[in-house]
Amino acid sequence: MTSPAEAKPTADKIAQTARRMLSEKAEYFTESVIREMTRLALQYGAVNMAQGFPDFPAPAEVKEAARAAIAADDNQYAITWGAKPLRDAIVEKFARTQGVTVDPEREITVCCGSTEAMISSLMAIINPGDEVVIFEPFYENYGPDAILSGATPRFVKLHPPEWTFDPDELAAAFSPATKAIILNTPNNPTGKVFDRAELEKIRDLCVQWNTFAITDEIYEHMLYDGARHVSLATIDGMHHRTITINALSKTYSVTGWRVGWAIATSEVTAAIRKVHDFVTVGAAAPLQEAGTLALQMPQSYYETLASDYLVRRDRLLGILTSAGFRCFKPRGAYYIMTDISAFGFPDDVAFARHLVKEIGVAAVPGSSFYRNPADGRTHLRFTFCKKETTFQAAAERLAKLRR
Ligand code: GLN
């Protein structure tokens, strides 16, 4: 017979036992701060300038294509590495925009968003002891991605205000243990767009140490002030070393669809496809069909997208500057990193909490983009993928902020 004490363990005991049974990997990172800020925004009725998802409609023809695909019963699994028409459309667009020719049969894996493309790519190439170079501040997923794949991250600072890297610091991060560098350009959260000379410096190190580069190019069409997006795969010597990641999410304002892809040589792709297949089987079939149409949109679509985002960038720069933030003007992507020193809060998290609870605006604390939280304590990130009424509401609320 069990004693009553054994039959009824205390809540503390249950929690303790449960924690002992969890994976160490999962214990090493916290939940996403970006996505937590969205939940806080909902809880406090705050204007969400935190998580980077558009609050305006996706293109009508893209939505119609998704409806049509469902109506036509395109509702069963697509081929695990992606429906053929979508892979063909990805190839055609990559050739048209960047001049890179790839084989749709052997060099593309369609995944559940670029998020899955990144973790599946890492899991396909990482062995115990491998290191991955990551520019910092970094999109927060890359930290947990490294832990989950078993890689040790080596962070290299991007220095404000231009978010440049010191070539010597970058060189010092490479070693025989380096398996890859992760490059996000245009960059989240800084808005930096890496230029050709910088990409060539990265290339030199990848060649010297015989490493991969994994690029996240999801903001490729959001460019301002004459910035140009250059895919690392186009740089001499990088084609066969680069895993190029992209998605429908940002370009076609469908972040909830979860359709992205990884482009790599056939050997690397074979490994990515295996990981992808057993982790997710595949991305949503009817949304892949709609993506095929999206990727064939005319050049004018991308021009309008960029010019609309320029207006939004300048609108948010104006709002934040009037409210007392020092802004780092982005040349790409759809975020503004700010300096919050003038407000006199102890750190970014305290300020972000005040902002969401008392002022009614959600933003992302800078520390979530740094390994050492202290490095981000004077920063806050705002997104501008929002409609005018959202800007209006944010402007009214931020005007109440006291410096
Ligand atoms: N990339 C977006 C951001 O940084 C959203 C990412 C996400 O939550 N999946 O806000």
Side-chain angles (χ1 to χ4, degrees):
M1 222 181 114
T2 51
S3 73
E6 270 168 346
K8 277 203 172 131
T10 62
D12 264 6
K13 186 122 194 149
I14 294 173
Q16 250 177 35
T17 312
R19 267 200 298 275
R20 268 205 307 278
M21 294 177 77
L22 295 177
S23 131
E24 280 175 19
K25 281 182 174 174
E27 288 279 288
Y28 269 137
F29 55 89
T30 61
E31 66 161 290
S32 157
V33 177
I34 296 176
R35 295 179 276 285
E36 183 195 6
M37 289 313 300
T38 287
R39 291 194 293 277
L40 289 178
L42 289 169
Q43 184 182 334
Y44 294 112
V47 181
N48 191 352
M49 308 298 278
Q51 194 178 9
F53 63 87
D55 68 353
F56 45 82
E61 57 272 53
V62 176
K63 292 188 288 190
E64 183 47 41
R67 277 193 292 270
I70 291 172
D73 254 320
D74 189 354
N75 295 317
Q76 311 309 325
Y77 303 121
I79 293 175
T80 177
W81 52 79
K84 173 82 163 91
L86 177 60
R87 282 181 284 124
D88 287 345
I90 293 166
V91 167
E92 188 281 322
K93 180 162 181 275
F94 202 28
R96 172 162 42 97
T97 57
Q98 291 291 324
V100 181
T101 306
V102 296
D103 178 358
E105 295 309 333
R106 301 184 316 141
E107 298 183 322
I108 297 181
T109 313
V110 174
C111 295
C112 298
S114 62
T115 296
E116 194 241 318
M118 180 61 75
I119 187 72
S120 289
S121 298
L122 283 165
M123 289 175 81
I125 63 167
I126 295 300
N127 288 309
D130 284 351
E131 296 185 358
V132 173
V133 177
I134 302 174
F135 287 109
E136 187 183 35
F138 54 89
Y139 172 47
E140 64 169 7
N141 278 34
Y142 305 152
D145 282 346
I147 294 166
L148 287 171
S149 65
T152 302
R154 290 273 165 244
F155 294 102
V156 175
K157 284 272 180 337
L158 294 173
H159 300 284
E162 296 298 328
W163 306 103
T164 42
F165 63 84
D166 174 340
D168 294 334
E169 285 175 18
L170 183 62
F174 279 73
S175 76
T178 309
K179 180 54 79 71
I181 179 169
I182 295 179
L183 178 73
N184 172 215
T185 184
N187 185 260
N188 173 11
T190 64
K192 176 187 176 65
V193 181
F194 286 73
D195 66 22
R196 185 170 289 277
E198 291 172 317
L199 298 179
E200 286 173 353
K201 287 199 182 88
I202 294 168
R203 181 266 321 273
D204 292 346
L205 290 164
C206 290
V207 171
Q208 181 185 343
W209 297 99
N210 191 25
T211 74
F212 290 110
I214 312 179
T215 67
D216 174 347
E217 306 186 14
I218 197 158
Y219 303 101
E220 64 172 331
H221 293 291
M222 286 129 199
L223 299 165
Y224 320 108
D225 308 333
R228 290 179 65 92
H229 171 63
V230 180
S231 283
L232 188 59
T234 66
I235 302 290
D236 262 358
M238 285 310 289
H239 183 103
H240 67 291
R241 295 180 180 281
T242 306
I243 302 174
T244 305
I245 291 176
N246 214 320
L248 300 180
S249 306
K250 314 292 192 198
T251 305
Y252 308 102
S253 307
V254 288
T255 61
W257 281 17
R258 317 311 303 134
V259 179
W261 52 88
I263 298 174
T265 59
S266 55
E267 296 74 24
V268 176
T269 294
I272 297 172
R273 285 179 174 186
K274 283 192 287 183
V275 176
H276 157 74
D277 187 5
F278 287 104
V279 174
T280 68
V281 178
L287 305 183
Q288 293 192 46
E289 191 62 33
T292 307
L293 176 130
L295 285 155
Q296 293 170 35
M297 302 266 254
Q299 184 55 26
S300 58
Y301 173 79
Y302 303 99
E303 283 158 16
T304 306
L305 184 80
S307 56
D308 287 352
Y309 268 113
L310 174 65
V311 172
R312 294 184 189 111
R313 181 199 68 168
D314 291 344
R315 178 80 168 104
L316 184 59
L317 277 173
I319 292 170
L320 293 175
T321 308
S322 311
F325 292 85
R326 189 159 83 82
C327 295
F328 299 99
K329 194 175 177 179
R331 299 191 72 217
Y334 56 41
Y335 308 98
I336 297 178
M337 267 295 240
T338 64
D339 185 296
I340 55 170
S341 315
F343 296 100
F345 275 75
D347 65 23
D348 58 316
V349 174
F351 188 52
R353 291 207 171 261
H354 171 76
L355 217 55
V356 72
K357 268 176 138 166
E358 312 299 336
I359 304 293
V361 175
V364 181
S367 53
S368 48
F369 306 104
Y370 287 89
R371 174 193 39 180
N372 177 359
D375 292 342
R377 54 182 282 282
T378 58
H379 295 312
L380 211 58
R381 188 199 77 173
F382 291 81
T383 183
F384 54 88
C385 49
K386 303 297 169 187
K387 55 182 189 257
E388 176 49 32
T389 47
T390 309
F391 287 127
Q392 187 63 43
E396 282 163 16
R397 292 171 183 212
L398 287 172
K400 292 181 291 183
L401 250 183
R402 294 238 177 86
R403 260 171 282 163

